[in-house]
Amino acid sequence: MVSPKLVSVGLLLLVSVRASASTPDAHKAAPAREITDIDLLNRVTWGANESSLTKLRAMGARKWLDWQLHPTAADRLPPAVQAQIDAMTISKQPMVDLVADMAARNKVANQITDVDAKKAAQQANQQAMNDLARQGAAREILRDLYSPAQLREQMTWFWFNHFNVHQYKADIRTMVADYEDRAIRPNALGRFRDLLGATVRDPAMLRYLDNAANAAGHINENYAREIMELHTMGVGSNYTQQDVQELARCLTGLGIDPNPDNPKLTLAMQAQLVRDGLFEFNPARHDHGDKVFLGHTIKGAGMPEINEVLDILAREPATARHVSREIATFFVSDNPPPALVDRMTQTFQRTDGDIAAVLSTLFRSPEFAASTGEKFKDPVHYVLSAVRLAYDDKPILNTAPIQGWLNRMAEGIYNHDTPDGYSMNSTAWNGPGQLAVRFEIARQIGSGSAGLFKPAEPNAVDHPAFPRLMNALYFSGLRRNLGPATAAALDQAVSPQDWNILFLCSPEFMY
Amino acid sequence: MRRRDLLSAAAAITVSGRVWAAPQADTRLLVVFLRGAYDAANVVIPVSSDFYYQSRPTLAVPRPAAEAANTALALDSDWALHPSLKDTIYPLWQRKQIVFVPFAGTDDVTRSHFETQDTIELGQGIQGSRDYRSGFMGRLASVLSKPTPIAFTAQLPLTFQGGATIPNVAINAVGKPGVDDRQAKLIQSMYKGHRLAASVAEGFEVRDDVYRSISEEMVAASRGAVSPKGYELSARRIGRLMREQFNLGFVDVGGWDTHVNQGGATGYLADRLAELGRGVAGFVDEIGPDAWHDTVVVVISEFGRTFRENGNRGTDHGHGSVYWVLGGGVKGGRVVGEQVRVEQANLFQNRDYPVLTDYRVLLGGLLQRLYGLDAAQLEKVFPKTQAKDLAII
């Protein structure tokens, strides 16, 4: 059954000291520690498996990490996985068309006079919107499981969560996959300013935080507040209610326009109109007065004002610190070491918000090396790492079970309804109720193929598959990390399924 | 058993002629957190204020009018209740089992949902650094003699962090456990001595307790009983569990952040309120008259919303809110706490309700009354707070 191909685990890699040289007391705070390649994989990727280990060892840890920080267009998904994505509606039709289609379908449904027929049509439309969002979630899961550019996929999840939108508000289900794919993912390892700018122009965000309704004389400050509080500077940093109101004034006119015809504008205003897909800056809805924002006078100028305030926000020291701290919380611990956050903040400022550079500072730090095995997996890390370990590069054919598990564990994809995103603190995920549900999910993953190999189509055949957790990686590395209590419990497993369940429930697999 | 190891509170303390403190297992407290800052001014409505009607041209709920539908329900000469609560909350008012506390809230003026929710859940005051491992309900559990706390939420909330391990359960998604007893024992054995050992054990225990209780409900449903849905179903389950097993509960309800098109007497907010009202009424019904007599429910939210409607027929983040306290033993049918006339001059920063009753002052006084907490215990739950007894119970 299992061929225990023994791979040397003697290859311990030192990936720490260089970045810490600039700060004298960094060594004192956290002495450099050797990090194993499995530990490195468990943090930089969505979960260690044999093929990722083979790749890392072939390249060497340093080169491998450089590659993860700077993936190229050549780092494609396996063809069988890409084919699944290519078959999706979201891959075949531009989002603008999908939104227009849904609007047209809703219009037709609303005009039906027969009550039952109307209800049926409306339900079908809701279902169609659900399908679009689920396709987005499926694509995300497939990339998380099989993309060679694992760090980019992790950071895509991180940034989506940082710039969270909720699928169930209005028609965001038709936009959310595109938001992730075009606003977030291409910028996930790029410059923070570009990422911020992409979210500000995205219809999903403008819809979610109500800026599509923010206009001169009809101020809605929702988005302005969250940009400052969550997306950039962070709550408690040096801004005031007045700054929020002034930013809201700057953002007036930034919205969504599904109408292919331009709005009627005076000749002078026509020059200021900006359109890009559904995105529109409508100067007639903009407050053209001067503003004072964070001590800067912003001359009324239309769309250039928005670029000006985003430049200011992206370069605020508070933003560098807030974002660095969040990244460190995600990868290192609930309370990341201040010295590490300081150095990441310095890198952020020195590089004008180069995300890959900030991550490089993080991953090459002694604090990171010292923290491996400490960060409790949130549900998405838990489930994806289990599936990656169980099936490695064998592509699953249906992501619906994974989507369901994540929703049940309260960390569903696109499913956090408030703009703060999911918590990155372990206390949110390791309470008694969470653990009890996690063990139930472990049982489903460990017992068999769990529907992952039955395509979501009528009369589909369930392809045989078994979660092979007692695999080469287990024998070569994971087994050595097990404590005696876990080893003793595993010895009492009555079947391969039972062994899988216990292994996935073990404390060692939670970190 | 862990729960019994908890510190014992003062044995028997008589408060206004009745014994609350011993045995404390009879006293139940449920905190309902409306996350997203519900628009209190459109729920407990200042109908004697012309300024209210000027400030909300499209959102205002019409003044009470006996025969007219969709008008506010009179509470006293100044206040009235939203009409969507007519069949659920208003009867509690008429039975004198609910009080409303207007101008209630925190001294946190960030107007951030998340920051202010944290402020309330932690209950530590906003000066100095925060300890995110110490919520006020966790501290409350640690000073009570026989607490059986639980969070009816998918994730353990901040307010229950710290101290003993407190169970949580996603009350809307209870199913038959698949991990069997043998596996559960083996899993627990793997966590022996681990920092999560207590959570793992508590998780299995509460899973079984809750399933047992809920499966009775499912049997009833299969016999043709009308089965409630959504929030009411959850609330009824909470009522049943608090009647039978738990005496200190927390639940949250989201969806109150109404920046756009929130509606007035009808519309989005009205629908959410109706749902909440059905939940509360379902809870009262399910817990039953005996237990209800010893139960207090507190409904809170992080802040109020702007007193004037915004440009989108909605409201933005404000300051003062209105809290609810209800229960079989509540001296209800009153609007309590310090009040000011609702007019422009009295708005906080010319935009929001002021906060005249601090949440810690109010809850501290309530807990003192409910459990007979002494000064040291109260100091532990709400440090540096001059609790005030508003004589609600």
Side-chain angles (χ1 to χ4, degrees), chain A residues 274-339:
Chain A
V274 182
R275 298 196 72 174
D276 177 12
L278 289 176
F279 169 78
E280 177 180 86
F281 174 76
N282 182 344
R285 291 168 60 79
H286 184 70
D287 177 340
H288 291 271
D290 292 349
K291 296 99 184 170
V292 179
F293 177 63
L294 294 171
H296 304 260
T297 299
I298 311 292
K299 286 276 173 205
M303 188 70 194
E305 287 172 50
I306 290 149
N307 294 324
E308 195 180 342
V309 293
L310 294 184
D311 285 342
I312 292 169
L313 284 166
R315 292 194 175 132
E316 268 290 322
T319 299
R321 175 157 299 276
H322 175 62
V323 169
S324 296
R325 193 172 198 287
E326 297 234 302
I327 293 173
T329 305
F330 184 68
F331 284 107
V332 177
S333 89
D334 289 6
N335 295 297

Side-chain angles (χ1 to χ4, degrees), chain A residues 160-391:
Chain A
F160 187 103
N161 196 53
H162 181 87
F163 294 100
N164 188 48
V165 303
H166 184 225
Q167 60 182 352
Y168 287 117
K169 180 159 178 170
D171 56 351
I172 289 176
R173 279 167 290 170
T174 56
M175 305 171 173
V176 68
D178 184 77
Y179 172 65
E180 180 182 65
D181 198 43
R182 297 208 308 156
I184 304 288
R185 191 160 175 267
N187 297 304
L189 294 167
R191 285 187 56 225
F192 179 77
R193 173 65 181 82
D194 295 337
L195 177 61
L196 176 65
T199 60
V200 168
R201 292 169 69 107
D202 199 284
M205 179 60 82
L206 294 169
R207 177 80 77 216
Y208 176 57
L209 287 176
D210 300 322
N211 208 74
N214 182 26
H218 299 274
I219 290 287
N220 188 311
E221 63 188 44
N222 197 17
Y223 186 35
R225 181 182 307 283
E226 305 305 7
I227 286 181
M228 302 195 73
E229 176 185 330
L230 300 172
H231 300 166
T232 60
M233 294 174 68
V235 73
S237 57
N238 208 13
Y239 65 86
T240 64
Q241 171 64 28
Q242 189 64 28
D243 289 321
V244 171
Q245 286 167 218
E246 293 290 278
L247 180 57
R249 288 179 61 213
C250 292
L251 295 174
T252 48
L254 215 54
I256 302 171
D257 189 355
N259 191 338
D261 302 327
N262 285 345
K264 290 197 180 18
L265 296 169
T266 64
L267 211 56
M269 284 210 175
Q270 277 172 28
Q272 288 195 23
L273 177 71
V274 182
R275 298 196 72 174
D276 177 12
L278 289 176
F279 169 78
E280 177 180 86
F281 174 76
N282 182 344
R285 291 168 60 79
H286 184 70
D287 177 340
H288 291 271
D290 292 349
K291 296 99 184 170
V292 179
F293 177 63
L294 294 171
H296 304 260
T297 299
I298 311 292
K299 286 276 173 205
M303 188 70 194
E305 287 172 50
I306 290 149
N307 294 324
E308 195 180 342
V309 293
L310 294 184
D311 285 342
I312 292 169
L313 284 166
R315 292 194 175 132
E316 268 290 322
T319 299
R321 175 157 299 276
H322 175 62
V323 169
S324 296
R325 193 172 198 287
E326 297 234 302
I327 293 173
T329 305
F330 184 68
F331 284 107
V332 177
S333 89
D334 289 6
N335 295 297
L340 172 62
V341 177
D342 285 349
R343 294 201 307 284
M344 291 168 67
T345 305
Q346 287 160 17
T347 302
F348 189 107
Q349 292 180 286
R350 194 184 65 242
T351 62
D352 203 14
D354 179 337
I355 296 161
V358 174
L359 286 167
S360 179
T361 298
L362 168 76
F363 290 130
R364 300 184 202 280
S365 73
E367 291 90 342
F368 174 70
S371 75
T372 53
E374 291 295 309
K375 181 80 192 173
F376 186 80
K377 290 174 183 170
D378 63 353
V380 68
H381 280 99
Y382 180 77
V383 167
L384 293 175
S385 66
V387 175
R388 276 173 61 84
L389 184 62
Y391 299 104

Side-chain angles (χ1 to χ4, degrees), chain A residues 210 213-214 217-222 225-226 229-230 235-236 241 245 334 373-374 376 408-410 417-420 422-423 426-436 439-440 443 485-486 489-490 492-494 498 501-503 505-507 510-511, chain B residues 109-115 132-133 154-156 158 161 165-170 173 175-180 182-183 186-187 189-192 194-196 198-200 202-204 206-207 254-255 257-260 306 310-312 316-317 349 351:
Chain A
D210 300 322
N214 182 26
H218 299 274
I219 290 287
N220 188 311
E221 63 188 44
N222 197 17
R225 181 182 307 283
E226 305 305 7
E229 176 185 330
L230 300 172
V235 73
Q241 171 64 28
Q245 286 167 218
D334 289 6
E374 291 295 309
F376 186 80
R408 198 169 159 207
M409 295 168 94
D417 64 353
T418 51
D420 53 338
Y422 291 113
S423 173
S426 59
T427 50
W429 309 111
N430 65 13
Q434 273 285 330
L435 291 174
F439 297 145
E440 293 293 322
R443 182 179 157 276
T486 297
L490 288 173
Q492 296 179 57
V494 296
D498 198 39
I501 296 166
L502 293 171
F503 179 76
C505 292
S506 69
M510 300 295 166
Y511 295 87
Chain B
V109 293
T110 60
R111 293 196 178 86
S112 152
H113 294 296
F114 319 110
E115 186 77 0
Y132 280 92
R133 305 302 298 252
Q155 292 164 268
L156 191 64
L158 207 49
Q161 298 290 346
T165 301
I166 286 166
N168 68 303
V169 61
K176 187 171 174 17
V179 174
D180 63 31
R182 183 189 58 86
Q183 289 169 325
L186 283 172
I187 291 166
S189 76
M190 294 193 285
Y191 285 85
K192 202 169 171 209
H194 191 273
R195 64 189 125 158
L196 292 178
S199 286
V200 170
E202 189 75 73
F204 282 123
V206 81
R207 175 196 76 163
D257 195 18
T258 51
H259 287 275
V260 176
T306 46
N310 67 14
N312 308 137
D316 292 325
H317 300 184
Q349 296 179 348
R351 121 182 209 131

Side-chain angles (χ1 to χ4, degrees), chain A residues 49 51-52 67 73-87 139-150 152-153 185 388 391-397:
Chain A
N49 57 16
S51 59
S52 63
W67 167 53
D75 297 312
R76 294 195 185 90
L77 286 166
V81 176
Q82 188 59 48
Q84 288 188 47
I85 292 174
D86 290 344
R139 181 173 65 189
E140 182 188 313
I141 289 168
L142 290 172
R143 286 169 172 165
D144 293 345
L145 292 173
Y146 305 110
S147 169
Q150 282 285 296
R152 181 179 61 202
E153 306 308 337
R185 191 160 175 267
R388 276 173 61 84
Y391 299 104
D392 204 321
D393 53 5
K394 179 184 168 77
I396 61 166
L397 305 175

Side-chain angles (χ1 to χ4, degrees), chain A residues 16-27 343 364-367:
Chain A
S16 56
V17 279
R18 200 178 60 171
S20 64
S22 56
T23 25
D25 47 276
H27 296 284
R343 294 201 307 284
R364 300 184 202 280
S365 73
E367 291 90 342

